[in-house]
Amino acid sequence: MRSLYCGEVNESHIGQEVTLCGWVNRRRDLGAVIFLDLRDREGLVQVVYDPDLPEVLATANTLRNEFCVQLKGKVRARPEGQINKDMKTGAIEVLGLELTILNKSAPLPLDSNQVNSEEQRLKYRYLDLRRAEMTERLRFRAKVTSKVRSSLESQGFLDIETPILTAATPEGARDYLVPSRTHKGKFFALPQSPQLFKQLLMMSGMERYYQIVKCFRDEDLRADRQPEFTQIDIETSFMSSDKVMEVTETMIRELFKEMLDVDLGDFPRMPFSEAMARFGSDKPDLRNPLELVDVADILKDVEFKVFSGPANDEKGRVAVICVPDGAAKFSRKGIDDLTKFVGIYGAKGMPWMKVNDIDAALSTGVDGLQSPILKFLSADAAKALLERTNAKTGDIIFFGSDTYNVVTESLGALRLKIGEDLDLLEGEWKPLWVVDFPMFEEIDGRMHALHHPFTAPTGLTPEELEANPLGALSDAYDMVLNGCELGGGSVRIHKQDMQSAAFRILGIDEEEAQEKFGFLLEALQYGAPPHVGLAFGLDRLVMLMTGTTSIREVMAFPKTTTAACPLTNAPGNANPAQLAELGVATISEDKE
């Protein structure tokens, strides 16, 4: 139906007749002449209809935005004064000779000026995706996946599909369940990741596997989460964690260089403990110069129990953030707003101190400082705080004092907020690897795997792991870019005794382990090789590369923050006959 795309018409086609198909992006009626901007996925081209062909001009006069048309015309150069240098096809135009309306468009439910809510955009997503920026994002995403495939396949990785209907596995979120018609009362689970299957593929001798795969997690949503998302899933045998990190780091560096002409350089490595101590996050944004500074040793003897209590508690933490030139930027109301903000993370308050004259403060420990807590601090303690934080005149210091987790999370979030609010971010791209994660964490008296139950410890026997699980580090690693976790992985447990020990620590007894993971434990008995893997979030990767702030902007048909689809009205009700066939009953909202 077409001879070339609209956005491909150029000066080399001058004098040629072309056939184009697309949508009317804009129509301008100058009386005797009508101008159209015709659009397809490759771009725009200007089409001109003049009085020499009155029937064609009359048809052009009926066109409106988003009519779908086919036209034939002759390419000609634009007059010198009418060249549009901001348009790819701006040096030429097409003189319209024939025009066929393939389909008319009703008045659009979306505002052409893009003053639309996200709900409206998702309800009419097929119209929203016609916008040039949305089309370009999906094209960009397709190029990313193509280059990832080429990179991995050139290194001997096999693209292998794994089941979507499977058994539930504990990976940190609720499962989406699918009732079975042939096994009434039983359910499949949609995979949170292909974790166990890719491990089984290593035990099958595949050695290098990858898959660009859909994963499903029923969890609270935010800008970088969706109930269904896409992973670049990778698993290898007979490789070390260092080698996998090297291979995948090279792949990401090459991707950024080819797609964005950005050189990410070598990725530094940072232990989890350092990331939490300095930045309050296991995915720190290194563009932000602010850091958390521990000061418990300075404040453990002060009379102010808000400080001395946590400072003398092994589970407590006292830390500060010093904001350069921040004293004048935060009014009392601004500080109150920040105090409310850290309260979201459990902080009961947020003491502060403004440095109005650093020389006077270092001299006396009192003069030159402004703070409601100054009366509780000795001169020596105040001086030590200023020296520890390297404070300068005009700075403001914010304090966190509570349990370790509350202080770390609240000050970590505060660091990000202040960095964005005051535009402190330095540089465009700051990647790193976070390594040496704890293998387990204790929550409400129960042990939980920080990554997942199949992650191997670093340098321990099963007996040593069970003797001190909270002291064990896992051979795991996360790739972080600009405060976003791009991907994570680990060396997997490949021996049955170690896997059984990990299950026991997690409170999974032998009977439950056999019920849920019997096939894995059995497979580990038959010469399972050492194996290691990593999974990238494709949606997050493309989100970062395109400069958007939500993965919904780089997905064709995403869900809302309530995990609903306005376009299809999913999830919907099942009719009674379907439920009866599945052996499933529902509870009405009233009864619930």
Side-chain angles (χ1 to χ4, degrees), residues 258-562:
E258 286 188 50
M259 299 291 292
L260 301 178
D261 195 24
V262 168
D263 184 0
L264 292 177
D266 292 332
F267 293 20
R269 297 189 184 187
M270 181 181 296
F272 170 88
S273 58
E274 180 183 344
M276 298 302 288
R278 293 174 58 191
F279 306 109
S281 172
D282 60 357
K283 49 182 179 181
D285 188 345
L286 297 187
R287 297 172 301 165
N288 187 333
L290 302 180
E291 294 194 19
L292 282 61
V293 179
D294 284 298
V295 295
D297 59 317
I298 296 173
L299 299 175
K300 64 181 181 180
D301 294 325
V302 301
E303 295 183 4
F304 193 35
K305 289 187 178 179
V306 170
F307 288 157
S308 60
N312 288 284
D313 185 343
E314 63 178 11
K315 295 184 178 180
R317 185 178 188 187
V318 185
V320 299
I321 293 177
C322 181
V323 183
D325 301 317
K329 295 174 181 176
F330 292 101
S331 64
R332 186 56 189 265
K333 182 183 182 304
I335 293 173
D336 289 343
D337 289 342
L338 291 181
T339 302
K340 291 178 183 177
F341 173 77
V342 296
I344 298 171
Y345 300 89
K348 301 177 182 65
M350 189 180 65
W352 54 272
M353 178 187 293
K354 290 186 176 182
V355 184
N356 297 325
D357 185 336
I358 187 61
D359 292 331
L362 288 175
S363 175
T364 67
V366 177
D367 297 334
L369 298 177
Q370 177 187 348
S371 172
I373 62 166
L374 202 56
K375 59 187 176 182
F376 298 113
L377 302 181
S378 67
D380 288 342
K383 290 179 187 178
L385 283 170
L386 298 173
E387 291 171 352
R388 178 75 56 86
T389 58
N390 197 29
K392 303 288 189 298
T393 297
D395 294 354
I396 186 170
I397 299 172
F398 294 110
F399 292 77
S401 182
D402 208 303
T403 64
Y404 180 88
N405 287 341
V406 167
V407 171
T408 302
E409 290 180 19
S410 61
L411 289 188
L414 180 67
R415 170 183 175 268
L416 294 177
K417 179 173 175 56
I418 292 175
E420 292 179 4
D421 289 351
L422 299 187
D423 195 22
L424 299 178
L425 304 188
E426 301 170 347
E428 189 174 5
W429 303 103
K430 290 291 181 70
L432 80 155
W433 287 102
V434 177
V435 297
D436 296 336
F437 286 82
M439 188 163 174
F440 301 102
E441 60 182 341
E442 189 173 7
I443 302 175
D444 298 329
R446 290 199 60 183
M447 301 294 283
H448 297 263
L450 204 68
H451 272 75
H452 55 63
F454 318 108
T455 301
T458 301
L460 295 177
T461 66
E463 294 75 21
E464 290 170 335
L465 180 66
E466 288 194 82
N468 183 22
L470 289 175
L473 297 180
S474 63
D475 201 346
Y477 37 84
D478 284 356
M479 182 186 287
V480 177
L481 182 63
N482 291 3
C484 182
E485 180 192 325
L486 280 188
S490 66
V491 173
R492 321 303 188 186
I493 295 172
H494 72 283
K495 293 186 176 180
Q496 189 189 54
D497 57 350
M498 181 65 80
Q499 188 63 75
S500 296
F503 284 157
R504 285 194 295 271
I505 291 168
L506 293 169
I508 301 173
D509 61 29
E510 189 172 340
E511 182 178 349
E512 184 182 0
Q514 283 298 324
E515 180 185 350
K516 291 183 176 179
F517 310 109
F519 61 93
L520 176 68
L521 293 171
E522 184 174 13
L524 291 173
Q525 298 180 70
Y526 302 112
H531 53 285
V532 54
L534 184 146
F536 290 104
L538 176 63
D539 313 294
R540 290 183 185 178
L541 176 62
V542 177
M543 176 189 76
L544 281 177
M545 296 182 77
T546 56
T548 55
T549 57
S550 168
I551 62 173
R552 293 189 290 277
E553 295 300 309
V554 296
M555 302 173 77
F557 299 103
K559 306 291 189 295
T560 66
T561 53
T562 59

Side-chain angles (χ1 to χ4, degrees), residues 159-224:
D159 181 1
I160 305 175
E161 294 181 353
T162 53
I164 293 297
L165 296 177
T166 183
T169 58
E171 295 188 41
R174 290 178 292 273
D175 291 303
Y176 279 101
L177 299 179
V178 180
S180 169
R181 177 185 61 81
T182 53
H183 301 276
K184 285 186 172 56
K186 296 187 177 182
F187 296 83
F188 295 104
L190 302 183
Q192 294 185 36
S193 81
Q195 181 62 46
L196 296 181
F197 287 105
K198 63 185 178 184
Q199 290 190 240
L200 291 172
L201 285 170
M202 296 304 99
M203 299 171 199
S204 305
M206 297 300 103
E207 295 204 18
R208 294 193 179 192
Y209 141 95
Y210 89 94
Q211 186 181 187
I212 296 178
V213 60
K214 280 286 188 183
C215 301
F216 307 85
R217 294 184 184 179
D218 185 6
E219 58 187 348
D220 296 333
L221 305 185
R222 56 191 186 208
D224 62 351

Side-chain angles (χ1 to χ4, degrees), residues 108-112 114 116-117 120-121 124-125 127-128:
L108 297 178
L110 294 180
D111 187 320
S112 60
Q114 307 310 323
N116 302 298
S117 68
Q120 289 174 301
R121 290 177 56 211
Y124 300 101
R125 189 62 161 184
L127 297 178
D128 186 52

